[in-house]
Amino acid sequence: MGLVVRKPGVYTSVQDNGRYGYQGSGFSPNGVMDHRAYVMANLLVENDPHDCVLEFALAGPTLRFTTKTIIALTGGDFSATIDRKPAPRYTALMVDRGSILRLGAAKTGCYGYLAIAGGSMRIPEVMGSRSTNLKCEIGGWKGRTLIVGDYLPFVTKNVDFLPNLGSHRIDPDPYYCFGEEEITVRVVPGPQENLFTEEGIEAFYSQTYLTTTKCDRMGYRLDGPEIATACGSDIISDGIAFGAVQVPSHGRPIIMLADRQTTGGYAKIGTIATVDIPKLVQRPPGSRIRFEAVTVQEAQALLRAEARQFEGLALRVRRPSADGISPRRTARRLAPILEEQARKSQANTLWINQADRAERVGNRNLLHYDETAGSMKRVASAARTAASTEQGTTAQQAASAPAVAASDEKNFKE
């Protein structure tokens, strides 16, 4: 049981938290572009934080589900519908067997995410990750983006229940600032900042840059004022972090992202703070961006604050809800079932009789089924009294046994 791809969308692939520990061997970490939306998607369906999701860009796929399950959509607004009915984002949604999820072009943002309850899709791990590495054609679903006719099986065949499903929703995230024309992204000064002139550094932090159409999972090329260097931007190649801002010889910054190369030979003026990368990657071409310098300690504090926010959201989506499972409602549903079973079992011999039970439980009352009333009634345990009477009779018979035996022996001798 799983999902069938009817339309693949644009750049739809399986991604998770990333493949780490292999950059020294030339393998990119890959993973999701928008870590924030990824975490919230798994949180809404109560998956493990590192379970894989489907990531799509600019235009989403059309999928048919072959089993009943629960899903969550996060990230940009792709006008999602389930069986032609609007499907809200940041909400756990029940889908039936045969339901069709349609995702259109992005109205806001660039990347969207689909999480599936029950442990997501059954995708084998490659080097400790299920992320798709498109250049090496490993990981994910056959090392590529999805195509028409692909069938992705689920870890859990059928998911039809999540406790307090009504609480599994989050208000639209104001973090992304989708309604604003310009955003500010915080940057930690880079290891080669000393290679840039004061004028170049001032231009980077004071001027506005625009995102261009030359953007993908590898990096975002920006357009704007030139960032001047003192003696050129070529360096001996070194490692590249997620969000590193390289400045080639033409002086325009390039922000390296999930599918970046492992090393690079251009000077890096800074690195985007981890908490602001989702805000950056969700900006479509032509968006205005400003940069603000922060220290390493400030960036770490921002990341810890985000982690605390996720912990609070995890508690929030699990709080009791009005449409959660009610004990009273469950009892009312079970009562007629149990009564019917009790009525049918009256003709059968019980594994333990009432007298023995009365001896063990003392003065407790026993449940007794009254066929005349047609319901379960609690009556006093007459069985215990009967058992006591029987024991007394047995004791009297045992006491008179020697006298009876002597009388029988005398009659025999005579």
Side-chain angles (χ1 to χ4, degrees):
M1 298 297 181
L3 61 83
V4 178
V5 179
R6 300 186 66 173
K7 290 183 180 179
V10 178
Y11 234 70
T12 304
S13 62
V14 177
Q15 301 291 343
D16 62 11
N17 201 40
R19 181 176 291 106
Y20 294 96
Y22 297 94
Q23 279 189 268
S25 301
F27 292 94
S28 300
N30 311 119
V32 294
M33 291 279 279
D34 184 346
H35 180 77
R36 184 182 183 89
Y38 163 70
V39 170
M40 289 186 176
N42 276 326
L43 186 150
L44 284 166
V45 295
E46 297 193 15
N47 276 351
D48 185 90
H50 304 293
D51 281 340
C52 60
V53 298
L54 283 184
E55 179 186 84
F56 41 90
L58 300 179
T62 297
L63 310 170
R64 181 174 64 86
F65 294 88
T66 63
T67 186
K68 190 172 185 178
T69 189
I70 298 172
I71 65 171
L73 294 164
T74 58
D77 184 0
F78 287 78
S79 304
T81 63
I82 298 176
D83 296 332
R84 305 290 183 180
K85 298 179 181 179
R89 295 177 298 149
Y90 293 93
T91 301
L93 304 169
M94 183 78 71
V95 293
D96 295 321
R97 179 179 180 179
S99 292
I100 296 177
L101 170 66
R102 292 179 174 86
L103 295 152
K107 294 172 62 177
T108 60
C110 293
Y111 288 90
Y113 297 88
L114 169 64
I116 299 162
S120 192
M121 297 155 286
R122 188 182 295 114
I123 304 295
E125 285 191 0
V126 177
M127 294 188 291
S129 173
R130 296 179 175 85
S131 288
T132 306
N133 187 322
L134 297 173
K135 290 185 174 62
C136 298
E137 297 184 354
I138 62 172
W141 183 249
K142 301 181 180 180
R144 57 169 171 77
T145 57
L146 301 187
I147 60 175
V148 175
D150 278 344
Y151 171 76
L152 280 66
F154 295 159
V155 172
T156 304
K157 292 183 178 180
N158 187 298
V159 178
D160 58 3
F161 171 75
L162 275 181
N164 300 307
L165 182 62
S167 294
H168 288 65
R169 58 172 57 93
I170 300 173
D171 296 333
D173 197 348
Y175 160 85
Y176 293 100
C177 306
F178 285 136
E180 299 181 11
E181 295 182 357
E182 181 178 294
I183 62 170
T184 299
V185 175
R186 288 159 287 197
V187 179
V188 176
Q192 288 92 35
E193 189 183 41
N194 60 315
L195 297 182
F196 298 90
T197 64
E198 292 185 2
E199 293 78 10
I201 296 174
E202 176 67 21
F204 178 70
Y205 288 113
S206 63
Q207 300 297 318
T208 300
Y209 289 84
L210 298 177
T211 57
T212 68
T213 56
K214 297 179 180 180
C215 59
D216 58 13
R217 285 180 49 84
M218 184 175 180
Y220 270 36
R221 187 186 294 269
L222 305 182
D223 191 15
E226 181 179 347
I227 302 172
T229 59
C231 301
S233 60
D234 292 338
I235 61 171
I236 298 175
S237 295
D238 62 0
I240 298 180
F242 193 11
V245 184
Q246 284 189 327
V247 181
S249 56
H250 54 63
R252 276 34 173 216
I254 301 174
I255 303 173
M256 310 310 296
L257 299 172
D259 287 353
R260 64 195 180 276
Q261 70 270 26
T262 58
T263 61
Y266 294 126
K268 294 173 282 295
I269 194 172
T271 302
I272 306 296
T274 301
V275 296
D276 282 350
I277 291 177
K279 186 188 302 184
L280 170 71
V281 301
Q282 292 288 7
R283 307 305 292 184
S287 300
R288 301 168 60 184
I289 297 175
R290 282 183 173 271
F291 298 101
E292 176 186 341
V294 295
T295 65
V296 173
Q297 291 74 22
E298 289 173 332
Q300 291 173 339
L302 292 170
L303 193 60
R304 287 193 294 269
E306 183 183 64
R308 289 192 296 269
Q309 182 186 13
F310 289 154
E311 291 175 358
L313 290 175
L315 295 176
R316 180 180 175 184
V317 300
R318 291 177 173 86
R319 70 186 187 277
S321 64
D323 56 352
I325 296 299
S326 168
R328 292 185 179 181
R329 185 181 304 173
T330 303
R332 286 196 298 269
R333 292 176 179 177
L334 289 177
I337 299 174
L338 296 176
E339 289 179 3
E340 179 64 16
Q341 291 179 347
R343 185 185 64 78
K344 291 180 179 180
S345 66
Q346 287 304 298
N348 299 331
T349 303
L350 299 179
W351 69 276
I352 182 171
N353 59 58
Q354 290 185 344
D356 291 340
R357 178 172 174 77
E359 290 178 7
R360 292 190 295 108
V361 302
N363 292 326
R364 294 180 186 174
N365 294 335
L366 294 177
L367 284 175
H368 177 68
Y369 188 84
D370 188 348
E371 292 185 352
T372 303
S375 61
M376 297 296 293
K377 293 183 178 180
R378 188 169 293 276
V379 298
S381 178
R384 183 174 183 276
T385 305
S388 301
T389 304
E390 183 179 356
Q391 288 179 353
T393 303
T394 304
Q396 292 178 0
Q397 292 176 352
S400 61
V404 173
S407 176
D408 291 343
E409 183 178 0
K410 179 178 179 182
N411 293 335
F412 176 78
K413 289 180 179 180
E414 291 178 353

